[in-house]
Amino acid sequence: MAHTKTSFVCLPCRASYKQSYPGDHERLCPRCAEPLIHVGAAFAAPRRRDTAAWRTLSVLLNAGVRFQKSCCGGPGYRPRTLSEVRERMAYARRTGEPFARALVRRELP
């Protein structure tokens, strides 16, 4: 039986790699040898030259947001622009909601 593949990302290189599901060993970037971040199986990488999208992705990953598949399809809502991230950051500060939870809200009240 084939093993399921999942995505790993190197933020400094702006590169994404599909590899077998994580085991106990750390994955290293083949370009820069920095540790790869496990982002999940439902991840679609932005183009390497799209710096704003990679900056948004960096904020999401550093907040602990991942792209795991759910029973009904994809990972759910994820902000795609820096302005959406800023709106959710302001909402989280204003309400005291955890930052990671505010980032994955589809709509802000």
Side-chain angles (χ1 to χ4, degrees):
M1 184 167 96
H3 292 282
T4 305
K5 295 214 174 195
T6 186
S7 293
F8 291 83
V9 166
C10 178
L11 291 174
C13 294
R14 292 190 220 153
S16 173
Y17 304 97
K18 288 269 189 192
Q19 297 183 359
S20 60
Y21 196 76
D24 292 339
H25 65 285
E26 183 177 59
R27 309 291 171 100
L28 298 178
C29 176
R31 292 175 172 218
C32 68
E34 290 293 318
L36 293 173
I37 301 170
H38 178 230
V39 293
F43 177 72
R47 294 191 180 272
R48 187 169 283 137
R49 64 181 168 259
D50 188 353
T51 56
W54 280 94
R55 195 171 302 137
T56 301
L57 178 63
S58 175
V59 171
L60 291 171
L61 295 178
N62 288 321
V65 175
R66 297 297 185 260
F67 298 81
Q68 302 297 340
K69 290 182 181 178
S70 68
C71 65
C72 300
Y77 174 79
R78 300 293 185 264
R80 297 181 72 69
T81 64
L82 288 172
S83 64
E84 290 176 339
V85 168
R86 283 188 211 104
E87 287 173 2
R88 282 152 177 75
M89 286 174 64
Y91 174 78
R93 277 190 226 112
R94 190 172 62 245
T95 63
E97 183 172 19
F99 187 52
R101 192 177 308 154
L103 282 172
V104 297
R105 267 185 181 275
R106 183 167 297 280
E107 295 178 16
L108 297 178

